[in-house]
């Protein structure tokens, strides 16, 4: 038995289990790439408007996209917005959307689910009825309704998604807690006089959090897709905002080129589209790897 | 011998909910009026078939759940007035410093230790809750506890999964005795362990009881284990105590037919002369709907009409032997005539 | 004593992610005709793996990697026997139901929750005893005097006659599946059900007709375990393997099942291979006992010899560690814990806990010596020679 601190040993072992999986390596490589782009955005694509870097610069107003060239290496999209700039700063937007929605809905959902699952009773009943009603409405319809009510804008989309997504976290954490609540170690803590709050924090959440982490990782990707869709239908970010969804929306009329050359404007759609797909893929691969690594059946001994 | 705990008519009914509004449709009568005295310094064995309410009794006494009726009168060691803890809220238990005095060891150490906590923190948890110790003091106390249960400093910074089953149960025992309890509920503490390790834990528990002047309620369905470790035995059937006596008396002169059946059913690890078995017909009835009168009448080989109508109460013989059976006085003879035991 | 099934140096390993679990390290045992052989040992010592290897039902990632399993089912074949490890999977499938039956700890896993008890037992009869039952139906038909109406009666009779000769006849199988036509089997089913009720009654369940109409969830654990035994007995096996079949049951229910097993041995089945960790159960039901420790068979003896004169240090320690009815003095515990089979101790696997261990114990596994009186033991207290091939 080596003499490193056991927490370090556990961490090493967990990391080992995660990275034994090739999909984790691909996923994390992609993620590191995206993080690098997001962090280095001001260097990779110096903003033209210092006060509002998310505004994509454009030279001219011609609706016809221009192919990649010296000046714009990924070409320009409709309205002459620079695709390269949009893609680079759009990475930041994607992280912003994902993190905001996942953190807000995750914290809210986990907190509420933990309390309701642990205490049960009328609170739990009431909460379950509310979420039941929410489950009855499709995500997109609900999101669109909220955005229409609040007014359009990327921030509204993010709020709407957070308002919807927490129900998932409630459900996942609640079912975990219902099984953990009657476990002997929780009962043992109760016999020792540990307060409910400490029991939840110290005994229940650390054992229940893995499915939440897995779902959060998957959500980071899927929220970006949903937000892109909202931008695509015109409910999301305003025109010219560096957002992959918005860029796809701009290219809407150029998905198919003229009849003699249907692929002429491929760059307008393929580049932001590929970004979205790779971003989602990265998070999904990570989520999968986490799922395998945290599978309790595979835990040693 | 002074009394530590007196259970009077202890009751625990679990609601069974159903229907659209999840209202109560029935109740599981897990404990249906338990009368039991636990003497200071003894090891009281509690035996009975699965589902008869042994664990529920243990958990009720240390107030892991709230009984639905009856009294638990606790005579404190430090000379305070006796208190009825059956209805006390958790905060009052803690304030009165009762919480740390009544502790429990669970059946399966794999599930009773939080897999994500270090041994150090597992044992420190009750100490932190029940006392305000400095970290230096805490560490000495934990190491002292570890050595008391036969573990060493090497085991201090480890996770539970790095231990064998027996060692894990030792950790659970260390945690239970951390706050100087005077009463421990041991809920089948050895049934999840290997046979060769079982003896280690039994012997450990035995020495700890003498050294720390503990009182045990030893819940088990393994009669030979309980015979080895207990001074007194209580036999439960379907939420009721049917017989209480000292271990020797119970094994030699049981007066309840159910006890006779239990004792005759033990597989004995010895070859040699073997007395006849009392084979009971049928199975334990459901506690949702226990039989009227004597609860054992559906399986009792000596049932008479009175048993179906009238519930027998625990009656005490001169030597403290208590039996709940209408035919308690003639039972020894009945069993001898019928089964030749 | 005539042997029924014998294993020779059985080696089974599990190739897990943690490493190779050396679950069986050369196990040789014999189950004789007409005896109950008990296999005892602590959790994880390889009892289940041993019988599963014998039956060739080891789960992934396990592999039987050495040794032989010789069965002497056919009385004509007394000397040679058949090596089960060399047989085809089809042969084994046939054998598992017919000559050897297994019952496990958890009766729920063996019962279909949506089929009535009677049907489940009848199913087993239909599967294993079709031929015999068809003959019985045929005989009953002949006894009935009234001639059945022509084409149907003759057709039915012909099919029964065919089934009585070869139950796996393609025509029988086909007509047994066709809608409406398959109703010719009605009498066969009725016969199966009749036999089911009979066997359920024989296992000491009161009111068997009513019980046959119930579903598993209506029954308690002890009753379910009896039904599982009934299903296992439907094919009148030569060997019944019971893997911890009573461990989950209550004392009073366990007593019923143990009594039943003892009764069965006297009346119905040739042999029982009983797996348990309860020495009490062994003492009560077995004729011969094998004690396993960490993948090895340490000692095999008749039950009285084992309990009165144990030879292997582990057996001795084990017997001193369980509480007796007339226990005087403290229990003697075995220090240390059962080893991990991924990295078992070299030599005799018991040496880290053995009070009598000597230098050679740490290096080589001891050979098995026969001490006379059918008592064999693998320990250097009785031999100086390490085991030959297959030793770890
Ligand atoms: N939380 C609960 N809700 C409803 N019923 C319960 C609950 N806990 C226990 N019961 C029921 O109460 C009865 C007594 O249970 P208990 O666990 O005390 O039995 P036991 O004697 O400890 O049995 P075992 O030997 O199997 O541990 C059982 O019928 C059980 O089904
Ligand atoms: N599917 C499997 N994969 C990996 N290892 C296995 C598997 N099945 C069994 N083993 C290993 O083989 C060894 C023997 O297991 P086995 O199930 O035979 O024990 P046992 O003696 O039947 O114990 P128990 O009394 O708990 O049933 C164990 O150490 C176990 O870890
Ligand atoms: S009261 Fe009657 S039914 Fe109950 S145990 Fe005594 S004799 Fe049996
Ligand atoms: S071989 Fe050696 S270590 Fe093994 S049991 Fe015999 S004396 Fe002990
Ligand atoms: Mg219990
Ligand atoms: Mg097994």
């Amino acid at each position: 038995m080596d003499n490193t601190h056991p927490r370090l040993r556990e961490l090493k072992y967990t990391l080992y289990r995660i990275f034994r999986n090739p999909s984790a390596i691909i996923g994390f490589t992609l993620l590191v790439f995206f993080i690098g782009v997001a962090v280095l955005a001001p260097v990779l694509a110096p903003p033209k408007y210092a006060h509002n870097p998310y505004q994509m610069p454009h030279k001219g107003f011609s609706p016809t996209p221009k192919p990649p060239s010296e000046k714009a290496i990924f070409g320009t999209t409709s309205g002459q917005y620079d695709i390269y700039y949009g893609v680079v700063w759009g990475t930041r937007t994607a992280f912003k959307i994902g993190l905001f929605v996942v953190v807000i809905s995750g914290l809210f959902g986990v907190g509420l689910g933990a309390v309701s699952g642990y205490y049960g009773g009328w609170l739990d009943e009431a909460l379950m009825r509310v979420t039941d009603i929410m489950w009855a409405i499709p995500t997109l319809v609900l999101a669109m309704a909220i955005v229409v009510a609040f007014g359009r804008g990327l921030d509204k989309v993010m709020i709407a998604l957070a308002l919807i997504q927490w129900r998932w976290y409630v459900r996942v954490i609640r079912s975990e807690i219902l099984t953990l609540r009657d476990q002997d170690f929780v009962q043992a803590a109760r016999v020792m006089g540990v307060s409910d709050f400490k029991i939840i924090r110290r005994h229940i959440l650390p054992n229940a959090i893995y499915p939440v982490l897995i779902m959060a990782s998957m959500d980071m990707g899927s929220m970006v897709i949903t937000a892109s869709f909202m931008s695509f239908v015109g409910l999301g970010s305003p025109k010219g905002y560096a957002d992959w969804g918005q860029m796809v929306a701009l290219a809407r009329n150029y998905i198919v080129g003229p009849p003699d050359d249907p692929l002429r404007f491929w760059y307008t759609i393929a580049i932001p589209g590929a970004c979205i797909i790779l971003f989602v893929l990265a998070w999904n691969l990570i989520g999968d790897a986490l799922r395998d690594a945290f599978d309790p059946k595979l835990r040693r001994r | 011998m002074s009394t530590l705990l007196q259970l009077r008519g202890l009751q625990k009914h679990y609601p069974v909910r159903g229907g659209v509004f999840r209202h109560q449709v029935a109740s599981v009568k897990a404990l249906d009026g338990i009368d039991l005295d636990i003497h200071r310094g003894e090891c009281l064995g509690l035996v009975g078939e699965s589902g008869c309410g042994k664990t529920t009794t243990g958990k009720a006494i240390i107030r892991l759940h709230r009984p639905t009726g009856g009294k638990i009168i606790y005579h404190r060691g430090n000379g305070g007035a006796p208190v009825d803890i059956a209805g006390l809220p958790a905060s009052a238990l803690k304030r009165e410093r009762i919480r740390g005095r009544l502790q429990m060891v669970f059946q399966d150490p794999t599930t009773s230790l939080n897999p994500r906590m270090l041994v150090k923190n597992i044992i420190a948890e009750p100490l932190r809750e029940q006392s305000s110790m400095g970290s230096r003091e805490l560490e000495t106390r934990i190491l002292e506890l570890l050595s008391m249960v036969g573990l060493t400093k090497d085991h201090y910074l480890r996770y539970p999964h790095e231990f064998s089953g027996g060692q894990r149960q030792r950790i659970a025992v260390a945690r239970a005795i951390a706050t100087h309890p005077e009463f421990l509920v041991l809920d089948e503490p050895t049934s999840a362990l290997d046979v060769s390790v079982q003896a280690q834990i039994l012997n450990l528990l035995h020495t700890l009881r003498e050294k720390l002047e503990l009182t045990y309620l030893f819940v088990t369905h393994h009669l030979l284990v309980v015979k080895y470790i207990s001074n007194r035995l209580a036999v439960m059937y379907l939420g009721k105590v049917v017989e209480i006596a000292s271990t020797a008396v119970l094994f030699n002169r049981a007066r309840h037919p159910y006890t006779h059946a239990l004792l005759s059913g033990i597989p004995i690890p010895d070859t040699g002369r073997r007395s006849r078995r009392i084979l009971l017909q049928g199975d334990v009835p459901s506690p949702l709907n226990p039989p009227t009168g004597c609860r054992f009448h559906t399986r009792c080989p000596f049932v008479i009409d009175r048993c179906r109508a009238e519930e027998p109460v625990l009656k005490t013989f001169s030597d403290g032997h208590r039996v709940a059976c209408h035919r308690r006085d003639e039972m020894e003879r009945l069993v001898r005539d019928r089964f030749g035991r | 004593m005539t042997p029924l099934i014998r294993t020779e140096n059985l080696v089974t390993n599990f190739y897990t992610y943690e490493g190779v679990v050396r679950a069986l390290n050369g196990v040789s045992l014999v189950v004789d005709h007409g005896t109950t052989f008990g296999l005892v040992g602590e959790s994880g010592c390889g009892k289940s793996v041993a019988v599963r290897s014998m039956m060739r039902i080891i789960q992934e990632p396990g592999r039987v990697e050495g040794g032989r399993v010789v069965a002497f089912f056919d009385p004509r074949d007394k000397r040679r026997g058949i090596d089960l490890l060399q047989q085809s999977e089809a042969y084994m499938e046939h054998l598992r139901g017919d000559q050897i039956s297994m019952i496990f700890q958890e009766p729920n896993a063996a019962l279909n929750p949506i089929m009535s008890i009677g049907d489940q037992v009848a199913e087993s009869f239909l599967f294993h005893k079709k031929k015999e039952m068809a003959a019985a139906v045929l005989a009953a038909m002949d006894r009935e005097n009234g001639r059945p109406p022509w084409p149907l009666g003759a057709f039915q009779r012909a099919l029964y006659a065919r089934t009585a000769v070869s139950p796996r006849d393609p025509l029988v199988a086909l007509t047994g599946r066709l809608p409406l036509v398959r109703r010719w089997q009605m009498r066969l089913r009725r016969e199966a059900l009749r036999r089911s009720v009979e066997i359920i009654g024989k296992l000491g369940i009161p009111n068997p007709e009513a019980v046959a109409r119930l579903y598993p969830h209506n029954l308690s654990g002890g009753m379910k375990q009896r039904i599982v035994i009934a299903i296992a007995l439907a094919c009148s096996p030569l060997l019944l393997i019971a893997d911890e079949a009573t461990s989950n049951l209550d004392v009073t229910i366990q007593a019923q099942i143990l009594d039943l097993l003892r009764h069965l041995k006297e009346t119905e089945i040739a042999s029982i291979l009983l797996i348990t960790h309860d020495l009490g159960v062994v003492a009560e039901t077995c004729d011969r006992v094998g004690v396993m420790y960490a993948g090895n068979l340490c000692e095999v003896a008749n039950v009285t010899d084992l309990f009165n004169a144990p030879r292997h240090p582990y057996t001795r320690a084990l017997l001193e560690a369980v509480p007796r009815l007339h226990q005087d003095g403290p229990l003697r515990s075995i220090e240390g814990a059962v080893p991990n089979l991924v990295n078992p101790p070299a030599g005799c696997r018991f040496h880290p806990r053995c009070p009598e261990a000597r230098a050679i114990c740490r290096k080589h596994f001891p050979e098995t010596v026969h001490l006379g009186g059918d008592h064999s033991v693998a320990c250097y207290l009785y031999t100086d020679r390490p085991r030959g091939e297959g030793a770890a």
Side-chain angles (χ1 to χ4, degrees):
Chain A
M1 188 65 57
D2 50 315
N3 279 326
T4 47
H5 192 276
R7 279 196 214 287
L8 206 66
R9 229 180 315 130
E10 283 298 297
L11 184 70
K12 263 183 167 156
Y13 181 65
T14 309
L15 288 179
Y16 166 67
R17 285 188 45 175
I18 293 174
F19 285 103
R20 155 178 71 121
N21 195 337
S23 73
I25 297 171
I26 301 173
F28 276 103
T29 313
L30 280 172
L31 181 63
V32 166
F33 170 75
F34 278 117
I35 292 177
V37 170
V39 171
L40 298 178
V43 185
L44 293 174
K48 194 167 174 195
Y49 321 104
H51 58 285
N52 184 9
Y54 288 100
Q55 187 58 43
M56 289 156 69
H58 61 129
K59 300 191 184 69
F61 293 92
S62 157
T64 318
K66 291 216 181 83
S69 64
E70 291 275 295
K71 260 191 244 144
I73 54 168
F74 287 166
T76 58
T77 187
S78 175
Q80 301 310 313
Y81 291 107
D82 185 5
I83 293 182
Y84 171 74
Y85 187 92
V87 162
V88 169
W89 284 88
T91 313
R92 282 197 168 191
T93 312
F95 275 109
K96 240 177 24 182
I97 298 170
L99 283 175
F100 179 85
V101 176
V102 168
V103 168
I104 300 286
S105 61
L107 284 181
F108 187 66
V110 166
L112 206 59
V115 171
S116 106
Y118 184 78
Y119 288 103
W122 64 265
L123 176 73
D124 192 37
E125 280 296 306
L127 187 78
M128 284 305 110
R129 291 297 88 77
V130 172
T131 45
D132 278 351
I133 293 166
M134 286 184 63
W135 279 112
I137 309 168
T139 309
L140 274 176
V141 174
L142 200 57
M144 276 149 81
I146 295 174
V147 174
V148 169
F150 283 172
R152 61 170 281 180
L154 193 64
D155 46 347
K156 310 288 183 351
V157 168
M158 280 161 37
I159 292 172
L161 289 178
L163 280 179
I164 295 161
Q165 207 57 18
W166 62 269
R167 59 187 186 170
W168 272 106
Y169 292 89
V170 167
R171 189 148 102 166
V172 167
I173 198 88
R174 186 172 166 274
S175 71
E176 282 292 308
I177 282 177
L178 284 184
T179 53
L180 282 171
R181 192 176 63 175
D182 294 327
Q183 290 267 307
D184 281 349
F185 66 84
V186 174
Q187 305 242 331
R190 235 182 268 158
V191 184
M192 292 181 284
V194 183
S195 67
D196 287 343
F197 176 71
K198 277 193 206 154
I199 288 183
I200 294 181
R201 204 194 62 204
R202 206 186 283 159
H203 295 279
I204 292 191
L205 285 184
N207 286 291
I209 208 68
Y210 291 97
V212 173
L213 285 184
I214 293 162
M215 207 174 71
S217 155
M218 301 280 190
D219 261 5
M220 285 291 292
S222 66
M223 284 305 99
V224 169
I225 288 228
T226 317
S228 299
F229 175 80
M230 304 277 272
S231 291
F232 186 78
V233 297
L235 292 173
S237 46
K239 193 172 178 192
Y241 194 84
D243 166 32
W244 297 334
Q246 171 60 30
M247 291 167 71
V248 173
L250 276 176
R252 178 165 35 202
N253 297 331
Y254 300 90
I255 293 171
V256 184
D260 54 324
D261 185 7
L263 292 181
R264 180 178 319 162
F265 303 119
W266 63 271
Y267 46 90
T268 60
I269 192 85
I271 291 171
C275 285
I276 296 178
I277 289 171
L278 288 178
F279 190 81
V280 173
L281 183 71
W283 285 108
N284 273 329
L285 289 176
I286 292 169
D288 270 345
L290 291 183
R291 182 178 319 220
D292 291 348
F294 295 145
D295 187 343
K297 282 202 289 287
L298 298 176
R299 205 182 156 81
R300 66 184 153 177
R301 261 159 290 179
Chain B
M1 216 186 269
S2 64
T3 309
L4 178 69
L5 285 154
Q6 287 172 297
L7 316 188
R8 289 292 172 265
L10 194 65
Q11 236 186 26
K12 176 73 187 179
H13 291 185
Y14 291 104
V16 178
R17 294 182 192 284
V20 189
F21 298 105
R22 302 189 32 77
H23 57 276
Q24 184 170 346
V25 290
S27 59
V28 178
K29 299 176 185 63
L31 299 184
D32 216 7
I34 300 274
D35 291 322
L36 198 63
D37 285 356
I38 300 172
H39 304 313
R40 195 173 291 285
E42 76 172 343
C43 175
L44 175 64
L46 192 59
V47 294
E49 276 171 282
S50 177
C52 69
K54 306 182 295 293
T55 303
T56 311
T57 311
K59 287 185 174 172
I61 300 178
I62 54 159
R63 281 303 315 282
L64 194 49
H65 59 69
R66 196 188 197 115
T68 42
K71 289 200 177 94
I72 305 169
I73 298 159
Y74 172 41
H75 300 261
R76 291 199 238 187
N78 49 18
V83 270
D84 177 10
I85 58 171
L88 284 187
S91 56
L93 284 174
K94 202 166 172 181
R95 196 174 54 241
E96 299 272 331
R97 306 207 144 271
I98 296 175
R99 185 66 290 165
R101 310 286 282 165
L102 310 174
Q103 286 293 315
M104 174 153 178
V105 176
F106 293 81
Q107 174 171 358
D108 187 354
T110 335
T111 59
S112 72
L113 303 176
N114 185 341
R116 305 206 177 274
M117 271 166 87
L118 292 171
V119 166
K120 172 182 102 168
N121 293 332
I122 288 173
I123 301 180
E125 187 161 36
L127 293 170
R128 290 212 185 94
E129 287 302 321
Q130 307 293 339
S131 57
S132 47
M133 285 187 177
S135 62
R136 179 69 48 79
E137 206 185 340
L138 200 64
E139 185 171 336
T140 17
R141 174 75 181 142
I142 295 171
L143 290 177
E144 183 193 0
L145 285 165
L146 281 178
S147 79
M148 268 205 267
V149 298
L151 296 174
T152 62
K153 202 170 169 13
D154 293 343
H155 302 115
Y156 185 66
L157 280 178
R158 297 265 190 93
Y159 282 97
H161 66 76
E162 300 175 66
F163 291 89
S164 72
Q167 287 174 316
R168 278 183 222 159
Q169 196 60 295
R170 286 170 194 267
I171 296 167
V173 171
R175 174 178 64 181
I177 59 174
T179 52
H180 300 287
E182 49 183 353
F183 177 68
L184 280 190
V185 171
L186 305 167
D187 188 4
E188 316 217 9
T190 60
S191 60
L193 303 179
D194 281 328
V195 187
S196 68
V197 179
Q198 165 176 300
Q200 295 173 7
I201 299 294
L202 288 179
N203 289 339
L204 170 72
L205 289 171
H206 188 78
T207 28
L208 284 179
R209 179 161 70 97
E210 292 189 337
K211 203 154 91 189
L212 306 176
E213 297 177 344
L214 293 168
T215 306
Y216 288 164
L217 180 73
F218 197 103
V219 172
T220 184
H221 58 256
H222 198 314
L223 283 136
L224 292 179
V225 165
V226 87
K227 177 167 193 285
Y228 174 65
I229 196 158
S230 309
N231 321 96
R232 238 164 34 107
L233 273 180
V235 181
M236 277 186 81
Y237 187 78
L238 210 57
K240 286 270 190 191
V241 172
V242 294
E243 183 160 13
I244 312 166
S246 71
T247 309
V249 169
L250 202 91
F251 269 80
N252 294 320
R253 304 191 49 203
R255 286 175 186 269
H256 197 282
Y258 178 64
T259 315
H260 276 285
L262 272 187
L263 295 179
S264 80
I266 315 173
I268 300 163
D270 276 307
T271 57
R273 199 173 50 81
R274 213 171 280 289
S275 48
R276 262 180 77 197
R277 277 227 160 99
I278 302 175
L279 286 181
L280 294 178
Q281 293 303 315
D283 297 290
V284 189
S286 156
L288 269 173
N289 193 5
T292 56
C294 173
R295 293 177 175 221
F296 188 51
H297 84 241
T298 50
R299 301 170 78 198
C300 181
F302 309 108
V303 59
I304 49 174
D305 286 343
R306 185 174 167 209
C307 307
R308 297 196 182 89
E310 189 188 329
E311 180 156 7
V313 291
L314 274 177
K315 274 252 189 70
T316 313
F317 287 85
S318 55
D319 53 353
H321 188 163
R322 307 183 75 201
V323 188
C325 170
H326 293 309
R327 309 184 74 181
R328 58 176 85 76
D329 297 317
E330 41 179 348
M331 194 48 70
E332 276 182 283
R333 186 179 53 77
L334 286 173
V335 171
R336 198 165 40 224
D337 291 352
R338 179 86 161 266
F339 297 100
R341 289 176 57 86
Chain C
M1 287 281 176
T2 44
L4 173 66
I5 193 162
R6 187 171 76 209
T7 71
E8 292 166 8
N9 263 320
L10 207 53
V11 176
T12 302
N13 294 329
F14 286 88
Y15 291 86
T16 67
Y17 161 64
E18 304 293 331
V20 186
V21 179
R22 304 195 179 279
L24 288 190
N25 180 33
V27 167
S28 309
L29 57 85
V30 189
V31 181
D32 288 318
H33 269 285
T35 59
T36 302
F37 189 97
L39 203 53
V40 274
E42 295 173 83
S43 180
C45 69
K47 307 181 293 291
S48 302
V49 170
V51 289
R52 286 177 167 273
S53 305
M54 287 162 72
M55 302 289 291
R56 303 219 342 236
I57 46 171
I58 284 288
Q59 292 128 319
E60 277 295 302
R63 247 177 274 156
V64 183
E65 304 213 307
R68 292 174 3 115
V69 178
V70 191
F72 303 90
F73 294 133
D74 197 341
R76 280 163 298 175
D77 201 22
K78 269 217 163 62
R79 266 175 306 132
R80 273 186 306 125
I82 326 155
D83 184 358
L84 297 185
L85 297 183
Q86 308 296 332
Q87 301 305 315
S88 68
E89 190 48 40
Y91 177 89
M92 287 307 290
E93 233 158 69
H94 178 69
L95 171 131
R96 270 177 222 133
D98 262 7
Q99 279 114 347
I100 305 183
S101 279
M102 283 192 84
I103 49 179
F104 297 96
Q105 182 165 1
E106 199 32 72
N108 286 325
L111 294 175
N112 182 347
I114 55 166
M115 221 166 137
S116 79
I117 296 296
D119 283 346
Q120 298 197 36
V121 183
E123 193 80 351
S124 181
F125 273 112
L126 282 175
F127 194 79
H128 298 295
K129 286 273 175 262
K130 213 172 197 166
K131 195 166 158 179
E132 232 175 73
M133 289 194 308
V137 172
L138 216 53
M141 279 171 143
D142 288 344
R143 254 180 281 124
E144 290 160 11
N145 291 329
R147 270 260 182 78
W150 185 66
L152 281 182
F155 166 70
Q156 207 181 18
R157 199 170 185 293
L159 277 174
Y160 274 116
R162 247 195 136 95
T163 316
V165 177
S166 62
R168 286 178 225 288
D169 188 275
L171 185 66
V172 172
L174 180 72
T175 52
R177 295 226 173 82
L178 288 180
L180 287 180
V181 178
R182 66 168 175 229
R183 297 191 61 110
W184 69 266
Q185 290 180 323
M186 280 302 283
R187 295 195 64 152
L188 198 63
R189 292 205 150 268
R190 231 178 293 147
E191 170 72 13
L193 214 54
R194 192 189 62 73
R195 292 188 177 210
S196 308
V197 170
E198 185 184 300
I199 197 165
I200 293 174
K202 233 197 263 176
L203 295 188
I205 296 180
N207 206 353
E209 287 89 6
V211 171
R213 256 172 274 148
L214 296 178
Y215 287 82
H217 65 90
N218 299 122
L219 304 182
S220 65
M223 294 261 260
K224 276 189 253 185
Q225 194 61 281
R226 277 171 210 229
I227 300 300
V228 174
I229 295 178
I231 293 174
L233 291 184
C235 55
S236 25
L238 291 171
L239 177 66
L240 179 72
I241 299 180
D243 189 351
E244 308 270 8
T246 61
S247 308
N248 260 359
L249 305 174
D250 278 313
V251 183
T252 58
I253 310 290
Q254 173 174 314
Q256 295 170 355
I257 301 288
L258 290 182
D259 220 60
L260 175 65
L261 284 182
R262 210 164 27 207
H263 171 73
L264 287 176
K265 194 188 78 189
E266 282 155 17
T267 55
E268 302 271 328
I269 331 167
S271 315
I272 301 178
L273 177 50
L274 190 83
I275 299 172
T276 178
H277 57 255
D278 189 338
L279 286 167
V281 170
V282 171
E284 304 238 323
T285 45
C286 299
D287 306 312
R288 283 186 60 79
V289 190
V291 180
M292 281 191 76
Y293 183 79
N296 287 300
L297 199 60
C298 321
E299 181 164 10
V300 182
N302 290 331
V303 68
T304 38
D305 294 343
L306 191 98
F307 279 87
N308 297 330
R311 306 304 275 273
H312 195 280
Y314 174 65
T315 318
R316 286 184 192 161
L318 197 62
L319 283 169
E320 283 180 1
V322 296
R324 304 297 188 88
L325 189 58
H326 302 288
Q327 176 79 30
D328 28 53
L331 289 179
R332 297 262 291 279
S333 58
I334 313 179
E335 288 315 312
V338 179
N340 179 352
L341 294 186
V342 173
N343 208 350
C348 172
R349 289 181 178 181
F350 188 55
H351 83 248
R353 305 171 78 188
C354 180
E356 323 236 14
R358 36 188 90 175
I360 188 167
C361 302
R362 295 185 187 88
K363 294 199 204 80
H364 303 288
F365 195 84
E367 72 161 5
T368 304
V369 265
H370 298 275
L371 300 173
D374 268 349
H375 199 143
S376 61
V377 57
C379 171
Y380 285 117
L381 294 179
Y382 310 97
T383 178
D384 292 326
R385 304 224 322 260
R387 187 163 72 186
E389 33 75 59

